[in-house]
Amino acid sequence: MIIKPDQPPGDGWFEHIKTLNNGKEDWFRVQYDATDPRKVRPKQRALFFALLHDIWNWSGEDEDYLKMYFYSRYMVRTGGKAISLADTSQNTVSDATELINDVVDFIFDFDVPIKAGMYLLPKDENHFQYQCIAHRKCLICGQHADIHHVDEIGAGRNRNQLDHTQFRLAALCREHHTEFHQVGPSVFCNKYHLTNLGVKVDQATLKRIGIQGR
């Protein structure tokens, strides 16, 4: 989202933002998050502890220790806000999503094998789909993936001359990539319970995973 101020900013805070914005003061790029105020969902609780179990299998660290480790990381990132997934928790769906996203990042960063949490992973969510693309892991099964263009780019167009940041991408292994084209988007998404397939990716990530373009 881009914010355009009605008048030129004047105080010190805006001067700081101007510095971060490469000297531009006529517009500012901001991030807007819509909070889901509902209480933590049972599925989120199940996913969190399933992923902790997978990390325990991989690392040998006690699951209670891992829980407090990720709870502590959440508190650091949120400036001291507490988190709990207990039945009596006052935390929201958005709070739990932020916590789980951190666990998902950890699993991708350290290539943790996923078994217990595989079928509970938030495959519909942009954050998880982005991590699949960034690490070239299949959105459906976790195997090594090709990068699939969800938005058709047209026959005969030179992919090396396209701006791939403008297209929705998805990470799918050869098997699931082939299946997608055989059955079509609607059947594929229904089968794997996806209401959202494909996200746009920034230029730095595209370069890191070897997608060439303009």
Side-chain angles (χ1 to χ4, degrees):
M1 179 183 293
I2 293 176
I3 298 294
K4 293 185 177 182
D6 294 333
Q7 54 186 346
D11 62 34
W13 186 82
F14 275 112
E15 285 300 316
H16 174 66
I17 297 298
K18 178 181 174 182
T19 300
L20 297 178
N21 203 36
N22 296 320
K24 298 183 180 69
E25 61 180 17
D26 54 335
W27 60 267
F28 299 95
R29 189 178 300 278
V30 300
Q31 179 174 322
Y32 171 77
D33 291 321
T35 299
D36 187 334
R38 294 175 298 165
K39 297 295 177 60
V40 171
R41 315 308 289 173
K43 185 176 180 180
Q44 291 180 302
R45 186 181 303 112
L47 172 60
F48 177 73
F49 286 104
L51 294 178
L52 289 193
H53 187 74
D54 286 332
I55 297 173
W56 167 74
N57 274 329
W58 168 76
S59 68
E61 291 287 358
D62 181 77
E63 290 185 49
D64 284 337
Y65 167 81
L66 291 171
K67 181 182 77 170
M68 297 313 302
Y69 171 72
F70 285 108
Y71 279 10
S72 297
R73 282 165 60 112
Y74 177 89
M75 291 184 68
V76 170
R77 290 198 317 277
T78 59
K81 183 178 179 179
I83 183 75
S84 171
L85 302 187
D87 291 337
T88 57
S89 173
Q90 296 301 305
N91 288 106
T92 66
V93 166
S94 292
D95 295 335
T97 297
E98 185 172 352
L99 173 70
I100 290 168
N101 282 346
D102 186 41
V103 181
V104 168
D105 290 347
F106 181 95
I107 283 173
F108 275 103
D109 289 343
F110 292 98
D111 200 22
V112 178
I114 304 172
K115 293 183 180 179
M118 188 66 204
Y119 296 103
L120 295 171
L121 285 170
K123 298 175 183 178
D124 248 9
E125 295 180 7
N126 289 352
H127 184 84
F128 181 76
Q129 292 199 32
Y130 170 81
Q131 288 288 23
C132 287
I133 293 169
H135 293 84
R136 297 193 76 122
K137 287 185 176 292
C138 180
L139 170 66
I140 306 302
C141 67
Q143 300 300 312
H144 180 74
D146 299 325
I147 304 301
H148 163 66
H149 282 76
V150 176
D151 298 318
E152 294 293 337
I153 61 176
R157 298 181 68 183
N158 186 343
R159 295 194 175 205
N160 290 335
Q161 296 302 316
L162 296 176
D163 180 2
H164 293 279
T165 63
Q166 300 305 306
F167 295 90
R168 290 178 300 149
L169 306 176
L172 298 172
C173 67
R174 293 291 172 88
E175 178 182 346
H176 288 111
H177 195 171
T178 300
E179 181 184 7
F180 178 89
H181 287 294
Q182 288 176 338
V183 303
S186 180
V187 173
F188 186 86
C189 289
N190 285 337
K191 178 178 178 180
Y192 295 108
H193 309 291
L194 298 170
T195 56
N196 173 46
L197 178 64
V199 296
K200 293 182 178 181
V201 179
D202 60 275
Q203 185 178 5
T205 301
L206 291 170
K207 183 177 180 180
R208 189 169 73 247
I209 63 177
I211 302 296
Q212 302 298 321
R214 179 172 55 82

